[in-house]
Structures are given as structure tokens and as C-alpha cells.
Amino acid sequence: MDTLTQRQGEILAFIRQEARANGLPPTVREVANRFGFRSPKGAADHVDALVRKGYLERIPGAARGLRVLHADDPDYPEPGIPIVGDVAAGLPILAVENVLGVLSLDTAFGRGELFAVRVRGDSMVDYGIFEGDHVIVRRSPTLEVSAIAVVYLEGEATVKKVVKTAGGYDLVPGNSRYPVQHITRDTPGFAMAGPVVGVVRAL
């Protein structure tokens, strides 16, 4: 590989550190803020140089589309979609985004910022989602059509089929033992995490 300048080495070390700590590399804007560039273009030029020199590669269509090439570093963890916690498929549970690991499927589910959550409970079994599955979510504050999605209610997360209604949404379980939850404009603490775009199951 080509020799790095001092600043390129510092930026590469920062990208490695962020990917290790968070399961995701930083954005170019975050690199610019960290190193005091007046605009993201200065940081982008250094990142482009690291790509040309073979220290990084770009992942097309990914929001944080940088991968550190680390053939000489066997202890460096493989980057991918971060597993950020558990999500309830029964009653909602507190959603705390602590990165538990990564799934190396960052190019398998299309464009957008993706994350994974592990399912707990049996309320989605009729939709083919079982306890212990990992659902892949595309982060989005809205849904264009009714879809299975992860949503937040007062800081707690759950996965349900989200159906638009005249006054809001219905959260529809995939198990008749669980009730439909009705969401209106007056429902406190409701927010959309994003639609489920895939399910990963270990057999």
C-alpha cells in the first residue's frame, strides 16, 4: 500500500476507532468535525485518498459506506449492520441502543441506514417472525405504505404490522392472542424507527 500522510493516518485511525466502538464507520461530515475542516470536502478529499491507496473501500448505496480494509489486522472486527439491542414481539420493552455486535449483511437489503434488532416474544409468528430472529430495519421516521415496522412508544420498542388509519396507525400483531394497539395524534411518545426489510434466523 502507498504511504500515508500524517493527517491521512490520523483520519484512518479515527475511522477504525469509530467502527470498532460503534459497529459503524463515521460519516464524512463527522470526520470533518473531528479534524476541524471548514467543510466536508476537505475530509472527503482525504477519504478519497485512503480509498485510492487501498486502506478503505466504499460500499455503494450505504449511508455510512466506508469499510476499513484490514487484511493485516486479524483482530479487527468485521463491520456490518449493528445489532443495537432487543425488540419486543409481545409487550414493549425498553429500547436501549447498545451495540451488541454486527451482522455482515450491509449490502443485502438495499439502500438506506440499516440496523438490526433481536426479537423477543411470539406476537409476530403469523408473519413468520419468531423469538430469537434478527429483523433488519431501514431507519425512517415515516412509512409510505402499511408495513411491518419497528416503532417506539414512550421510549419502548416493539415490532408490529403498522397500518395507516384515518386518525393515525393501528399496530397489528401476527398472533390473535395479542390486541391491536390504536395510535392517534394524542398517543404520547410514539415514533417510527423504520420498516422491517429482512429477517435473519440461525438454524
Side-chain angles (χ1 to χ4, degrees):
M1 292 184 180
D2 294 342
T3 303
L4 299 181
T5 66
Q6 180 177 345
R7 179 49 58 92
Q8 289 167 0
E10 292 170 349
I11 290 174
L12 179 62
F14 173 66
I15 293 172
R16 283 178 178 265
Q17 176 185 339
E18 289 296 295
R20 282 193 180 105
N22 303 318
L24 283 173
T27 64
V28 171
R29 185 173 297 276
E30 288 168 346
V31 173
N33 291 340
R34 169 64 177 78
F35 291 94
F37 291 104
R38 293 183 178 179
S39 74
K41 185 181 183 307
D45 289 344
H46 284 289
V47 170
D48 289 344
L50 290 168
V51 172
R52 287 195 307 272
K53 293 181 177 182
Y55 290 89
L56 298 176
E57 69 175 350
R58 295 190 183 278
I59 302 170
R64 294 173 179 265
L66 294 175
R67 186 193 302 276
V68 179
L69 300 178
H70 50 86
D72 59 340
D73 186 358
D75 294 326
Y76 187 78
E78 181 68 20
I81 300 170
I83 303 170
V84 298
D86 293 344
V87 63
L91 298 176
I93 60 171
L94 182 64
V96 180
E97 288 200 2
N98 292 323
V99 176
L100 305 180
V102 296
L103 297 176
S104 296
L105 301 170
D106 48 347
T107 60
F109 297 101
R111 298 190 175 190
E113 185 175 351
L114 305 176
F115 63 93
V117 288
R118 187 170 55 223
V119 174
R120 292 178 57 187
D122 62 355
S123 77
M124 295 297 284
V125 293
D126 290 348
Y127 296 127
I129 299 174
F130 299 92
E131 184 165 22
D133 288 351
H134 289 92
V135 293
I136 310 302
V137 183
R138 178 177 295 113
R139 194 182 299 276
S140 174
T142 60
L143 285 182
E144 295 182 2
V145 296
S146 298
I148 295 173
V150 171
V151 301
Y152 298 101
L153 283 172
E154 296 186 320
E156 299 179 331
T158 190
V159 57
K160 295 289 183 290
K161 184 174 183 180
V162 181
V163 178
K164 286 189 176 183
T165 65
Y169 298 96
D170 282 348
L171 306 185
V172 182
N175 186 328
S176 60
R177 296 195 298 109
Y178 293 85
V180 175
Q181 294 175 276
H182 304 288
I183 304 298
T184 69
R185 294 178 180 176
D186 299 326
T187 301
F190 175 77
M192 197 79 64
V196 172
V197 297
V199 179
V200 177
R201 179 177 305 132
L203 299 179

